[in-house]
Amino acid sequence: MPRKRPGALRARQRTTPVLFRSTVTWGTEVFPVPWPTRLDRLSRRTVSAVHRAECGRPDGGGLWPGATDAALRSYRHFLALPGRWLYPRHSVCGCPTCDVPDDVAVARDVLELVRLRLPPGARRELTALLAPLDEELERRTVPDPFAHRRPWRGDGWWHRRMYHESAHL
Ligand SMILES: [Zn+2]
């Protein structure tokens, strides 16, 4: 097999797919962020717009790379639970890492935040994706008339549903 000339090697390296197209700053460290290629049922254009919304602010502004994916997984996981009625639960420790997978209302907050930061086309697509999920969440959870007595966690209607009785307050 003929040895490759250095020039040919360099040319090949230049065409290697770029896997890391943005960075996220954590304290003083800068980490490369893999560009996601798939995100639920969203188009590639919207996936890119979501990624830009997640990485577009130095402090994250309540989002982080992969937040939308984690929130959508949490939402679908919650709705896949068996039974006619579902009762959201707070996460035990209350940190964002546990809140998004454990508390469907926090996951929905993340989705709302990213939805509002998307350009119109991508926003329409995420809105359409969320509509049937929201409809099912509303149908399978119970309104909590005393939700206003609980510590405030957000303004979304999804915060005013009956929580599981083991809920940590
Ligand atoms: Zn935690």
Side-chain angles (χ1 to χ4, degrees), residues 2-169:
R3 284 184 54 193
K4 284 198 169 68
R5 289 174 293 111
L9 202 63
R10 272 198 302 275
R12 201 178 55 143
Q13 280 165 349
R14 272 201 297 275
T15 58
T16 300
V18 179
L19 296 175
F20 300 101
R21 291 170 61 178
S22 56
T23 58
V24 63
T25 307
W26 190 268
T28 55
E29 304 273 332
V30 178
F31 298 98
V33 175
W35 191 277
T37 51
R38 282 187 59 192
L39 185 48
D40 205 275
R41 296 164 197 180
L42 299 172
S43 69
R44 290 187 64 164
R45 248 184 94 175
T46 297
V47 172
S48 294
V50 164
H51 189 61
R52 281 192 298 274
E54 289 176 344
C55 304
R57 300 183 183 197
D59 64 347
L63 297 175
W64 60 94
T68 309
D69 186 44
L72 276 169
R73 284 171 196 275
S74 168
Y75 205 173
R76 289 200 185 279
H77 173 78
F78 183 74
L79 294 176
L81 293 171
R84 166 66 179 88
W85 298 107
L86 297 177
Y87 297 91
R89 294 168 187 256
H90 300 301
S91 70
V92 175
C93 84
C95 79
T97 314
C98 297
D99 267 352
V100 170
D102 290 356
D103 188 339
V104 69
V106 177
R108 188 59 184 81
D109 280 341
V110 167
L111 294 167
E112 191 63 10
L113 198 55
V114 71
R115 197 181 70 82
L116 296 174
R117 286 196 198 156
L118 290 175
R123 185 185 297 184
R124 268 195 302 276
E125 203 183 313
L126 182 59
T127 303
L129 183 80
L130 291 175
L133 303 178
D134 287 346
E135 190 275 328
E136 189 179 351
L137 183 67
E138 195 176 11
R139 186 168 51 79
R140 293 179 68 200
T141 54
V142 186
D144 181 358
F146 302 111
H148 61 279
R149 294 187 186 171
R150 299 199 303 248
W152 182 91
R153 285 167 182 267
D155 288 326
W157 60 265
W158 44 87
H159 283 284
R160 296 190 296 277
R161 315 305 286 179
M162 198 82 80
Y163 267 70
H164 192 271
E165 54 190 14
S166 74
H168 294 69
L169 292 176

